[in-house]
Amino acid sequence: MPALSVLDLVPVRTDQTSADAVHAARHLAQVADAHGYRRYWVAEHHNMPAVAATNPPVLIAMLAAATERIRVGSGGVMLPNHAPLVVAEQFALLEAAFPGRIDLGLGRAPGSDPVTSYALRYGGGGVSEDAAERFAEHVDNVRAMMDPAGVGVSVGGRSHELRATPLATSTPDVWLLGSSDFSARLAARNGMPYVFAHHFSGQGTAEALDLYRSQFVPSAELAEPRTFLTVNVSVAADGDEAMRLARPQLLGMLALRTAGRLDPQVLVEEAEKVELPAAHADLVDAMARRWVIGDPATARAGLAELAATYGVDEVMVHPVAGAWTGTDADRAPAREETLRLLVEG
């Protein structure tokens, strides 16, 4: 069985407010912490009715303060949305508050719709129009500014020292995230750890990891390639219940892929009433086959098979189990149970 970690998009159900979803995330992180999970990452998505993970640094501070041992990080910060110095300052401060427990995962995707991207990148005048094209440069800038030595910046013909925090004694681990070969190549060239978004597409994973490994150049921070998988997971006492619990998320992903919307996640009973046309039912079945859904033994075997197939010693699970009618709004019991059952049986 590989080491296990958690990815959380902080989903919002039809029976929840943003506050409820955030409280549920805190409880889920505490379950992961108590059950030996290696790390807990939160995503960055904007203006989505179904996702409350809009600001990873704020969530990370909350979750790290509510846990004791687990590494907490971003999966990831979408760097083109932000000035590199702001990201460096945020994560240098998090590392100072929780030394040895902070991961900074960086991505290049917008994580939002075009209007929100405009508001993020240009509304405050702090991010350049070509931020996505300058991703590699900005990754270098973030890493350099978080280093205890800081970085020299030339302004007006004079060199100025710039540090993300006054006197750092450690720095967060910095990972590159991606769903194409761009970040795989960049991570390999920079000698950085890399994660492919297997949970999102389930396709192209082997090619991206092979590219990363074959082109990897050792660095001062990393002597050999370091990577893991992300996968959607629903675990329950039996396989039928696990599939019923996964259906709300499957319907949400179907809506995203066919209508471009990701509305609040429906409850299990609501999901069971939805009748799909044959083409959409086939798409849902295809997605489900790429996920790990089943009883504890089946799920553990599925994760072990994925780890062996892709040659990784860690798998990051995205717990996608939904909720029944009457569930406490500030908890996600089926998501918590998925994490428990994977390690307890």
Side-chain angles (χ1 to χ4, degrees), residues 78-343:
M78 299 297 107
L79 188 53
N81 293 337
H82 313 284
L85 176 58
V86 173
V87 175
E89 287 179 332
Q90 290 168 338
F91 280 81
L93 198 57
L94 286 167
E95 175 68 19
F98 307 99
R101 292 184 56 203
I102 301 300
D103 291 332
L104 169 55
L106 295 171
R108 193 167 67 108
S112 61
D113 58 82
V115 173
T116 310
S117 289
Y118 180 88
L120 282 166
R121 299 181 184 186
Y122 316 130
V127 181
S128 63
E129 243 179 81
D130 60 350
E133 287 73 26
R134 297 176 65 189
F135 180 72
E137 174 192 347
H138 288 176
V139 168
D140 289 340
N141 290 344
V142 169
R143 298 171 73 199
M145 288 185 287
M146 288 193 303
D147 189 276
V151 64
V153 178
S154 180
V155 178
R158 297 180 58 187
S159 181
H160 301 265
E161 288 186 348
L162 183 60
R163 294 182 175 86
T165 195
L167 191 60
T169 56
S170 60
T171 58
D173 285 354
V174 183
W175 296 71
L176 285 189
L177 318 180
S179 56
S180 68
D181 63 4
F182 178 90
S183 291
R185 294 179 188 276
L186 181 60
R189 186 170 73 242
N190 287 354
M192 298 173 64
Y194 168 71
V195 180
F196 184 81
H198 182 80
H199 71 287
F200 186 73
S201 67
Q203 299 176 342
T205 304
E207 294 81 358
L209 295 185
D210 287 346
L211 181 65
Y212 168 63
R213 288 164 173 151
S214 65
Q215 297 189 6
F216 184 83
V217 178
S219 65
E221 294 79 23
L222 198 61
E224 58 187 25
R226 183 182 180 194
T227 186
F228 59 76
L229 285 182
T230 59
V231 60
N232 296 317
V233 180
S234 174
V235 185
D238 63 72
D240 288 343
E241 183 182 0
M243 183 60 74
R244 294 175 72 191
L245 288 165
R247 186 169 173 80
Q249 179 72 10
L250 285 164
L251 293 180
M253 294 308 298
L254 174 67
L256 182 63
R257 295 189 179 189
T258 57
R261 287 186 57 82
L262 190 59
D263 291 322
Q265 188 182 92
V266 298
L267 300 173
V268 175
E269 293 91 342
E270 295 171 325
E272 290 181 326
K273 296 176 183 177
V274 175
E275 296 186 9
L276 298 174
H280 286 182
D282 290 344
L283 181 54
V284 165
D285 290 343
M287 285 191 292
R289 286 193 295 270
R290 292 194 293 268
W291 298 8
V292 172
I293 302 172
D295 60 70
T298 300
R300 285 196 295 272
L303 293 178
E305 181 180 357
L306 276 173
T309 298
Y310 295 107
V312 298
D313 63 2
E314 179 178 349
V315 174
M316 177 169 276
V317 302
H318 175 216
V320 295
W324 304 96
T325 300
T327 298
D328 288 344
D330 64 349
R331 298 295 290 266
R335 300 184 80 212
E336 295 175 17
E337 190 72 354
T338 287
L339 299 189
R340 291 193 190 95
L341 290 175
L342 280 175
V343 297

